Amino acid sequence: MTSFAPDSIVLNRKLPLWYQVSQSLRASILGRRPQDPLRLPTEEQLAGHYGVSVLTMRQALKELEDEGLITRHRRRGTFIEPHVQRGAPVRLLGSVDAIVAQQSGMAARMLDHGKAPVPAELVEYFPDLDEVATYHRLRSDEKTGEPTNHARNFVRPELAERVEPADLARWPMTKVLRDVVGADISRITDTVEARLADPETARLLEVPLLSPILHYTGVTYDSGGRVLDVAVIHYRGDRFSFTVTLEAN
């Protein structure tokens, strides 16, 4: 039987290895295509793929099993749950792969994309540009079809030239920039605040006007401190929560 092939990652030694592996594998599972196999490679094969010990791999798999993404059967192997509920709480735990994981696994529909002048509220992030590439997507729960959030990305034009809209139907912008475009992503800063749904957001998310929403802004920087992408996402307040965990070291 052919096994599912997860993506590769570059591990950050400042964060728990099991956590990084679990988040990368989680993103791969939630972003899988319908025709991809459900069976995962063995613990030993996965450990070799990620460059970690079998014990670390076992801990990462337990995290995914506890979440209900996979099931493990003695002698048969480990399998992806094909009908897993994907509306899990958003958790920001400190790595780029965590951002990719929490944005993955939802059906995304492109509403529009093109070039536009830099919005006044984003001028501080793009002081050297007059215009940016914009992408507006609506994400929905794949099982129920219920809209969950709508996202606008504002990307440097030279990077956008290598972004295929079809990739954004499957993957979040962070993953496309890093793994497809090859952008040098050094850090992402996240801001979350409570707001009231404006007419456009209420219509897209199918919630009452002025109902509570979560307004998320994610700013992606390269190693030189230049902003590559600004994501502005409106989440339904009844579907998501944000948890931030700070590691002691």
Side-chain angles (χ1 to χ4, degrees):
M1 179 185 294
T2 303
S3 297
F4 177 73
D7 295 333
S8 298
I9 60 170
V10 176
L11 295 173
N12 180 346
R13 297 293 166 176
K14 294 182 180 180
L15 293 172
L17 297 181
W18 68 266
Y19 167 70
Q20 296 178 70
V21 169
S22 71
Q23 291 301 300
S24 177
L25 187 52
R26 182 181 190 275
S28 294
I29 289 172
L30 292 179
R32 62 178 291 276
R33 298 166 298 185
Q35 66 269 28
D36 288 341
L38 292 174
R39 185 173 187 173
L40 289 179
T42 65
E43 288 181 353
E44 291 77 12
Q45 290 170 331
L46 285 170
H49 174 78
Y50 286 112
V52 299
S53 69
V54 172
L55 185 62
T56 295
M57 194 66 238
R58 194 168 294 158
Q59 188 174 4
L61 291 172
K62 184 179 185 305
E63 178 79 1
L64 300 181
E65 185 179 25
D66 290 344
E67 190 179 339
L69 285 174
I70 62 174
T71 55
R72 310 180 74 187
H73 305 276
R74 181 180 290 274
R75 297 190 181 90
R76 289 182 52 214
T78 301
F79 296 84
I80 298 168
E81 281 292 328
H83 305 300
V84 67
Q85 176 63 36
R86 304 187 179 199
V90 176
R91 300 184 181 274
L92 308 180
L93 300 178
S95 73
V96 171
D97 282 289
I99 301 297
V100 171
Q102 56 92 357
Q103 293 176 354
S104 298
M106 294 182 186
R109 176 166 61 92
M110 185 72 71
L111 299 178
D112 60 70
H113 67 93
K115 291 184 178 181
V118 178
E121 65 272 20
L122 301 185
V123 168
E124 63 177 301
Y125 299 118
F126 300 107
D128 58 325
L129 297 178
D130 294 322
E131 65 177 17
V132 288
T134 64
Y135 301 86
H136 187 195
R137 289 169 293 158
L138 178 67
R139 295 193 184 105
S140 303
D141 186 294
E142 288 189 338
K143 186 175 182 180
T144 66
E146 181 182 53
T148 58
N149 66 83
H150 76 97
R152 294 184 187 274
N153 287 85
F154 303 87
V155 182
R156 299 190 69 88
E158 66 271 23
L159 297 177
E161 291 177 358
R162 289 173 279 163
V163 172
E164 294 292 338
D167 289 332
L168 294 175
R170 181 184 179 195
W171 299 113
M173 180 65 79
T174 304
K175 182 175 180 63
V176 172
L177 289 178
R178 186 189 65 178
D179 298 345
V180 178
V181 175
D184 168 29
I185 295 180
S186 175
R187 63 187 171 95
I188 300 174
T189 62
D190 301 294
T191 303
V192 182
E193 57 184 306
R195 291 193 180 181
L196 299 179
D198 57 32
E200 180 189 37
T201 296
R203 176 180 61 82
L204 289 173
L205 299 187
E206 299 177 6
V207 296
L209 183 65
L210 302 182
S211 61
I213 61 168
L214 294 177
H215 178 88
Y216 164 93
T217 304
V219 184
T220 300
Y221 296 85
D222 66 13
S223 56
R226 186 182 63 161
V227 172
L228 306 178
D229 166 52
V230 177
V232 178
I233 308 176
H234 289 160
Y235 291 93
R236 282 181 57 149
D238 61 345
R239 289 295 305 276
F240 291 93
S241 63
F242 283 77
T243 301
V244 179
T245 298
L246 301 178
E247 298 293 335
N249 52 347

